[in-house]
Every structure is written in C-alpha cells, then in structure tokens.
Amino acid sequence: MNENPNDPFDELMRRSLHEEADRIEPSDALPEIRARAHAQRPAARRPWLLTAGLAAAGTAAAIGAFTMLNGPENTADDGDAVAGSGTTTTATGVLPSPTPSALTASPSPEPSQAPTQPRSTSPSAKTTEPTDRGVPEPAVKSTVVPVYWLGQQVGTQKKAARLYRTWAKVSGRPAEQAVRIMTTKQPTDPDYYSVWRGAALNTVTRSNGIVTVDFKQLPTTALDADLARVATQQLVYTVQGALGDNRTPIQVTEAGRSGRRLFGQVDTSKPLSRAQAADVQALVWIDSPSEDQVVKPKVTVQGVAAAFEATVNYEATNLKTRETKKSFTTAKEGQKFSPYSFQLTLTPGEWQISVYLLSGEDGSVTNTDSKSVVVK
C-alpha cells in the first residue's frame, strides 16, 4: 500500500471502484458459477493454498517506453469492472482516467459508449495522419495501461487458464506499448505467464470501426483449442483496455495480411470480438497490494471477485515463522464481479497473502490469487 495517507491515487482507486461497480448491469450468474463449481476439483496448482502452508514465492521499445508497476508507490493487478488504473501519476501530474469496464457478469459486457477515436490521457497528445491500415492512436507523455496475463485456474479436472490483469506505466502509444509488454516482458507475479513470446508487434491502428493489430511476426506456438481461445482474448482485452474501448473488434494481421490461425487454432480472417468476462477472466484476484510491495503492518487488501454468496476467503502466512491469519470477507455483491476489501495487521517480515473461492457444492478451492509482500 502507499505509505502516503493523502496519496491522490488512493482516492482514484476508491472513486473508480464505485464508478465502475455502478456501471455494471446486474444479471444472475449464479447458475453458471454453480455449474462450474460443481465440475471443479482441487488441483496441484499453487499447493500453498490447497495444503496448510504457503510457499515462498523500464525499458524503451519502438515509439515509446514502459515501466512495469511494482513497488510501494504503485498498485497493480486490477479487475476491469470495478477498479481504476493503479497508483502512478502522469508526467504532467494529472491523474489518468480510469479504464472503462471490461469485467462484467452479464451475458454480454456492456461498457460505456465507445469513443470514436482513442482517448488522450495527456495534454500533449497529438493525432497522426492515417496510414494504409488506419489511424494510429495518439502518443502520450505518460499514462497507465492494463496488461493481461494468463494464470492457471485451480480446481479444474484439466489444465485451464484465466486472464489476470496488471498495470504498467507507459509513454508513447498506449495500446502499442501494452502489447509490447505482453509479448516481450515477464509479469512480476510468478503465478502469471504469457504464450505470446516470439511475437513482434508492428502497429496498432483504427479505421472503419475496426482496430488492427499488425505484427511483423505472430507467435508460432501451437496450443490446444481452449488455451488458444483464452490467449487470443489476452490480446483483445489488453488492446481494448489500453484504448479505453471494449466494443470495437480487433483485426489481427501479420505483415498487413489476415487469415493465419493464431496458435494453430483461432481464425484471424475476420475481426475478433471480446469474449464474455465470465468465460475468460479470473473469478477472483487481488488489486492491491502488488507483488513484492513494501507495506506497513496494517495492510488493506483490495480486489475483485465473482463469488458464490459474495464470500471471499483469505489467508496470510509469514514465510519465515509460518504464522498464519485466515478468515473471509464479502464482496459488494454475490454472483457478479464486484469489489471486496479487508484489512490485516501483520508482523514485520515476508508474507504471502492469498484469496480464494470455495465450491458451493463440496467446499473445494476453485479460484485463487496471491501476492507476496514485505512488511516493514
């Protein structure tokens, strides 16, 4: 957590949580969650949670530069529906606008009206002349963008991945920089990963109601159909989140040509639409603190969950003494993506904080997220 009690980003987080939660159209996701929970069983992933103990756990690119958010002055790993864009100021000192909602429990995500052009987050942003594939997004001095990663889902009968979101501070063209991070960098959270290694981005442009993401080279990895679908949505969610536009479809091309199958499975001959959040996003994650963040003994943990009866379980373990604190909290609403928070008082040392959901059928762990922190 940020040690400055008057940090404006704390207010940004609180305001964004309320604004984005109010934006979500309620719908009953209980049948789907119950059905998934019934089919899930404990898995070997993250054994620190399924057993009594917990295990221990920038650079310039092309047109701009980016920085992975990680440290006491930053928060990361946010849920789209209900949280803002982390704790980093722009170069001008102006707070970046919260990213519109992408994480909803309704059958079709209903974000706010999509802008006709990518939004500017800096007074110095300027629009470039159109290219053959459309108009590049405006370049900015500094802003914060979402970057999605894959994370293993526990409690499933077969290996399954879900999308988890982190934040990164960038300069240049936001969507381009977000994709460069997604394809070339390692997430700070060791539970997250990407299958986009080897891909080389060219440009991100917009024209005629389509956003074109052109690669010099697409990834050559072959995946099974389920993982390929979620990995493709990793790109869609990252680009749309950086542009602040959840509706415009994404056309993937390689050297200006479409049609190649992503990961040997996904047809790119037509633009790709955003998948339902309940189908691809993690059902619980931690917004703050961030991975390896230095915090004070009193820690406020915030996140997003679509939890059965709104119940979010949590556990904190001192990685040296094995001291454990375990309890539960409730999200703002049950059976839909909504914010949760709880406070912990921890002794100095390294701790791992985990949150998890339990099956309504048999009590087994179904979804988890964790962050390691250092208490000073």
Side-chain angles (χ1 to χ4, degrees):
M1 311 308 299
N2 198 314
E3 297 186 3
N4 181 2
N6 297 316
D7 194 324
F9 284 99
D10 290 340
E11 177 60 27
L12 173 63
M13 176 68 75
R14 287 190 291 270
R15 184 173 69 249
S16 300
L17 285 168
H18 289 293
E19 289 177 355
E20 296 295 345
D22 291 340
R23 188 178 297 171
I24 301 173
E25 294 294 331
S27 69
D28 185 8
L30 178 58
E32 180 177 358
I33 293 175
R34 277 179 169 165
R36 287 179 177 174
H38 182 69
Q40 293 168 334
R41 294 293 183 270
R45 177 69 174 181
R46 293 175 178 144
W48 44 263
L49 184 58
L50 302 181
T51 61
L54 298 178
T59 39
I63 306 174
F66 50 76
T67 302
M68 299 295 287
L69 300 191
N70 184 35
E73 75 281 7
N74 300 321
T75 60
D77 309 320
D78 218 337
D80 278 0
V82 290
S85 52
T87 57
T88 298
T89 54
T90 65
T92 59
V94 178
L95 299 179
S97 301
T99 304
S101 170
L103 184 65
T104 69
S106 57
S108 297
E110 290 294 333
S112 56
Q113 182 62 42
T116 56
Q117 294 293 339
R119 59 186 173 86
S120 168
T121 55
S122 168
S124 65
K126 53 186 178 181
T127 303
T128 312
E129 290 298 317
T131 67
D132 292 341
R133 286 181 291 274
V135 180
E137 58 184 322
V140 300
K141 285 185 177 180
S142 181
T143 191
V144 178
V145 295
V147 179
Y148 284 84
W149 307 98
L150 302 180
Q152 189 63 40
Q153 183 181 12
V154 304
T156 55
Q157 294 180 343
K158 65 175 183 177
K159 186 176 181 181
R162 287 275 177 165
L163 296 181
Y164 289 81
R165 190 179 79 174
T166 62
W167 290 100
K169 183 178 179 179
V170 301
S171 61
R173 305 191 188 281
E176 285 188 11
Q177 297 308 318
V179 175
R180 293 187 197 283
I181 294 171
M182 189 195 82
T183 56
T184 65
K185 298 298 175 182
Q186 290 287 347
T188 57
D189 192 317
D191 289 325
Y192 303 162
Y193 66 99
S194 178
V195 292
W196 284 85
R197 297 291 177 264
L201 179 67
N202 185 19
T203 58
V204 177
T205 57
R206 185 193 295 259
S207 179
N208 299 322
I210 294 175
V211 172
T212 298
V213 182
D214 185 55
F215 288 85
K216 299 174 185 177
Q217 179 177 322
L218 286 169
T220 57
T221 304
L223 304 174
D224 64 59
D226 290 341
L227 184 55
R229 178 178 62 89
V230 179
T232 300
Q233 288 299 312
Q234 181 187 359
L235 174 68
V236 173
Y237 272 61
T238 295
V239 173
Q240 290 184 339
L243 293 175
D245 177 359
N246 299 342
R247 291 182 174 177
T248 303
I250 306 300
Q251 178 66 66
V252 176
T253 60
E254 184 178 49
R257 298 180 180 180
S258 62
R260 176 176 164 182
R261 287 192 172 271
L262 271 178
F263 308 110
Q265 300 284 352
V266 180
D267 183 12
T268 64
S269 62
K270 296 181 180 179
L272 303 169
S273 298
R274 190 185 194 86
Q276 298 175 15
D279 290 337
V280 294
Q281 287 195 301
L283 297 184
V284 64
W285 58 33
I286 296 173
D287 296 329
S288 62
S290 59
E291 183 72 15
D292 295 330
Q293 184 171 330
V294 178
V295 299
K296 291 184 176 181
K298 290 187 177 181
V299 183
T300 298
V301 181
Q302 296 176 307
V304 177
F308 176 72
E309 296 183 345
T311 302
V312 179
N313 303 275
Y314 63 85
E315 184 173 336
T317 296
N318 186 301
L319 298 178
K320 182 178 181 180
T321 66
R322 311 313 299 175
E323 175 188 358
T324 299
K325 296 177 180 288
K326 188 174 183 179
S327 188
F328 68 91
T329 188
T330 55
K332 184 177 180 180
E333 298 182 65
Q335 287 76 251
K336 63 176 292 184
F337 290 95
S338 62
Y340 68 84
S341 68
F342 58 90
Q343 288 189 326
L344 293 167
T345 301
L346 305 176
T347 55
E350 295 184 9
W351 288 76
Q352 189 168 56
I353 302 171
S354 61
V355 294
Y356 56 99
L357 305 184
L358 296 178
S359 166
E361 297 292 332
D362 60 12
S364 61
V365 174
T366 59
N367 291 268
T368 73
D369 194 21
S370 67
K371 301 297 171 190
S372 296
V373 299
V374 178
V375 179
K376 293 292 189 179

